[in-house]
Amino acid sequence: MHDGDVECNGYNGTIVAEGDHLIITHSGLVAKSGGLVVDQPRRIPLQAVSGVELKAASRMTNGWLTVGLGGVAPPHLSAGTANSNADTVVFRHKSKDEFKALHDWLVTVVERNQAEGTDPSTVEFDAAGETRTERIQAKAERIQAKADSAGEKAKLSQTEKKAKLSQTDLRGTLGTLKSTRAEMMTGLRGGERPDIVAAVARMNWTMGGRRELKKLTGHLLEGETVRFIAEATYEDDQGILVLTDVRLLFLFHGVMRQRKEDFPLRLISSVQTKSGMVKGEMKVFVSGNSASISGILKSDLRPLADAVRQGMATQHAAPPTAPPAAAADDPYEALHKLASLRDAGVLTEEEFEAKKQDLLGRM
C-alpha cells in the first residue's frame, strides 16, 4: 500500500492516492475547453480500479494517465481526445516521474484486486459528469428525433390532404407544404439544422469556427446536405471545411472580410493527406490545379478524406441532372435550381445551357 497520501498535479487537474481511494479532480481552462466538469472531486475506491494506462510526456508533447474503472479497460486515447476524458489527467514533461511512479503503483493495485478475486464492476464509485461532447451528441439525437417525428407527421398530413383536394388546388397546396417544412427546419432549436448539428457533434475540436458555423446555412444550396465539418486553414484564413453531398466548401468569416471557396466533388480528381503530431493537411486536385488546406485536426483528417473520396465516387458514377419532378411542375423553379447548381460549380456552363434550352422548350 501507499505510504501516506500522494498527489500528482497535472495540466488539467490532479489525481490523489489517499488511503484506499483515488481522488480525481479536473480544473482550469484546459479542462473546461475539453468539456469536463471542473472543481468536483470524484472519490474512487481502489477496488474499483480495473486497469491503468500511461502515455509518457516528452519536452514537445504532454502525457496522460488514464484509469479503467468498474471492470472496464482504460480507453486508447489520442492528443485530441485525452483532454476530454473524465478518467484521465494530462501532465507536462516536468511531472513525468511522479505520474510514472503513480502508474507503477496502480499496476500493483490492479494485480492485487485480481489476486484477491475482487470484481471491480461490483464496486460503487463517483461517476463522471456528462462531457461537452456527450451533451452535444445527446442534443443532436434529440433534434434528429424531433425532425424525424415532424417529417412523418408532415407526410401523413400531406397524404390526407391530397386525397381531398382537386387537381386545380393540388399545385398550390404542395407549395404551402414546402414552405411549412422549410419554416419547421429553420425554427428547429433556434434555426439549427439536424445535419449541421450532427456534423458539429462529431468534430473533435470546436474552439474556433463559431462565426462560420452560424453563417453556414446561408451558403448551402436548396436540398444540399452537410456530411462532415472540420476546422481548417486555407491560405492563412482560419475557418471551417464543410463536406456536403455535392461539394467541399471552405468558409471564412472575419470581422472585415469573408471568403468562400467551392470544390465540386464531381470535378475533384483526387485528394492527398499529410499529418503531423496534432494537425494535418489535405491537398485537393481539381481540373489540373491543386489547393492545400491545412490546420485540420489529425483525428478529423482521415475520416474527412475518406468521406470526400466516397462523395467523389458517387458524383463520378452519377452526374447531376435537373430534378425531373420540379421541372414537370414548374419550369421557372427548375431553371432557378439549375442556375444555383451552375453557380456552385456542380454544372458546367455548357450543361446549364443545354438543360435551360430544354426547359424553355416546355414553356
Side-chain angles (χ1 to χ4, degrees), residues 4 16 44 64 73 144 193 254 268 312 318 347:
V16 179
I44 302 166
W64 55 83
Q144 186 64 57
R193 287 176 32 155
I268 298 177
M312 289 165 52
L347 290 177

mmCIF file of all heavy atoms in Angstrom, residues 4 16 44 64 73 144 193 254 268 312 318 347:
data_model
loop_
_atom_site.group_PDB
_atom_site.id
_atom_site.type_symbol
_atom_site.label_atom_id
_atom_site.label_comp_id
_atom_site.label_asym_id
_atom_site.label_seq_id
_atom_site.Cartn_x
_atom_site.Cartn_y
_atom_site.Cartn_z
ATOM 1 N N GLY A 4 1.222 6.942 3.074
ATOM 2 C CA GLY A 4 0.735 8.321 3.118
ATOM 3 C C GLY A 4 0.088 8.728 1.813
ATOM 4 O O GLY A 4 0.088 7.989 0.839
ATOM 5 N N VAL A 16 -5.095 12.050 -6.767
ATOM 6 C CA VAL A 16 -4.544 11.866 -5.422
ATOM 7 C C VAL A 16 -4.798 10.440 -4.967
ATOM 8 O O VAL A 16 -5.917 9.912 -5.111
ATOM 9 C CB VAL A 16 -5.185 12.855 -4.425
ATOM 10 C CG1 VAL A 16 -4.630 12.633 -3.023
ATOM 11 C CG2 VAL A 16 -4.953 14.291 -4.875
ATOM 12 N N ILE A 44 -12.868 7.450 -5.679
ATOM 13 C CA ILE A 44 -12.936 6.155 -6.339
ATOM 14 C C ILE A 44 -12.210 5.126 -5.475
ATOM 15 O O ILE A 44 -10.984 5.228 -5.274
ATOM 16 C CB ILE A 44 -12.275 6.216 -7.729
ATOM 17 C CG1 ILE A 44 -12.969 7.279 -8.581
ATOM 18 C CG2 ILE A 44 -12.302 4.857 -8.408
ATOM 19 C CD1 ILE A 44 -12.201 7.655 -9.819
ATOM 20 N N TRP A 64 -0.366 11.587 -20.471
ATOM 21 C CA TRP A 64 -1.589 11.450 -19.691
ATOM 22 C C TRP A 64 -1.630 10.097 -18.995
ATOM 23 O O TRP A 64 -1.049 9.113 -19.449
ATOM 24 C CB TRP A 64 -2.826 11.643 -20.553
ATOM 25 C CG TRP A 64 -2.925 10.756 -21.761
ATOM 26 C CD1 TRP A 64 -3.381 9.476 -21.834
ATOM 27 C CD2 TRP A 64 -2.540 11.110 -23.100
ATOM 28 N NE1 TRP A 64 -3.314 9.005 -23.121
ATOM 29 C CE2 TRP A 64 -2.813 9.981 -23.918
ATOM 30 C CE3 TRP A 64 -2.010 12.252 -23.690
ATOM 31 C CZ2 TRP A 64 -2.553 9.974 -25.281
ATOM 32 C CZ3 TRP A 64 -1.759 12.240 -25.047
ATOM 33 C CH2 TRP A 64 -2.035 11.117 -25.827
ATOM 34 N N ALA A 73 -11.715 -1.624 -19.275
ATOM 35 C CA ALA A 73 -10.311 -1.319 -19.544
ATOM 36 C C ALA A 73 -10.151 0.160 -19.878
ATOM 37 O O ALA A 73 -11.076 0.785 -20.409
ATOM 38 C CB ALA A 73 -9.801 -2.173 -20.708
ATOM 39 N N GLN A 144 -32.610 15.348 -33.990
ATOM 40 C CA GLN A 144 -32.885 14.442 -35.101
ATOM 41 C C GLN A 144 -34.185 13.683 -34.885
ATOM 42 O O GLN A 144 -34.966 13.483 -35.822
ATOM 43 C CB GLN A 144 -31.726 13.457 -35.257
ATOM 44 C CG GLN A 144 -31.838 12.556 -36.489
ATOM 45 C CD GLN A 144 -31.777 13.357 -37.775
ATOM 46 O OE1 GLN A 144 -30.825 14.082 -38.023
ATOM 47 N NE2 GLN A 144 -32.812 13.260 -38.596
ATOM 48 N N ARG A 193 -29.962 23.153 -38.049
ATOM 49 C CA ARG A 193 -30.349 22.050 -38.924
ATOM 50 C C ARG A 193 -29.797 20.746 -38.366
ATOM 51 O O ARG A 193 -28.660 20.701 -37.901
ATOM 52 C CB ARG A 193 -29.814 22.283 -40.326
ATOM 53 C CG ARG A 193 -30.543 23.358 -41.078
ATOM 54 C CD ARG A 193 -29.935 23.633 -42.418
ATOM 55 N NE ARG A 193 -29.328 22.478 -43.063
ATOM 56 C CZ ARG A 193 -29.174 22.351 -44.368
ATOM 57 N NH1 ARG A 193 -29.611 23.311 -45.168
ATOM 58 N NH2 ARG A 193 -28.591 21.299 -44.886
ATOM 59 N N GLY A 254 -14.454 36.753 -41.361
ATOM 60 C CA GLY A 254 -13.758 37.648 -40.463
ATOM 61 C C GLY A 254 -14.590 38.889 -40.158
ATOM 62 O O GLY A 254 -15.696 39.059 -40.668
ATOM 63 N N ILE A 268 -13.380 17.004 -58.605
ATOM 64 C CA ILE A 268 -12.171 16.627 -57.859
ATOM 65 C C ILE A 268 -11.648 15.316 -58.423
ATOM 66 O O ILE A 268 -12.370 14.322 -58.502
ATOM 67 C CB ILE A 268 -12.461 16.488 -56.353
ATOM 68 C CG1 ILE A 268 -12.929 17.836 -55.770
ATOM 69 C CG2 ILE A 268 -11.226 15.999 -55.605
ATOM 70 C CD1 ILE A 268 -13.311 17.754 -54.306
ATOM 71 N N MET A 312 -16.827 11.632 -53.996
ATOM 72 C CA MET A 312 -16.323 11.700 -55.365
ATOM 73 C C MET A 312 -16.820 10.510 -56.178
ATOM 74 O O MET A 312 -17.258 10.653 -57.333
ATOM 75 C CB MET A 312 -14.793 11.717 -55.357
ATOM 76 C CG MET A 312 -14.165 12.993 -54.842
ATOM 77 S SD MET A 312 -12.396 12.758 -54.471
ATOM 78 C CE MET A 312 -11.806 12.040 -56.016
ATOM 79 N N ALA A 318 -22.628 9.050 -61.026
ATOM 80 C CA ALA A 318 -23.949 9.554 -61.443
ATOM 81 C C ALA A 318 -23.888 11.065 -61.564
ATOM 82 O O ALA A 318 -24.104 11.771 -60.591
ATOM 83 C CB ALA A 318 -25.011 9.148 -60.421
ATOM 84 N N LEU A 347 -22.626 22.166 -62.177
ATOM 85 C CA LEU A 347 -22.867 22.059 -63.609
ATOM 86 C C LEU A 347 -21.916 22.998 -64.354
ATOM 87 O O LEU A 347 -21.629 24.111 -63.886
ATOM 88 C CB LEU A 347 -24.314 22.447 -63.939
ATOM 89 C CG LEU A 347 -25.436 21.495 -63.490
ATOM 90 C CD1 LEU A 347 -26.790 22.068 -63.844
ATOM 91 C CD2 LEU A 347 -25.269 20.123 -64.106
#
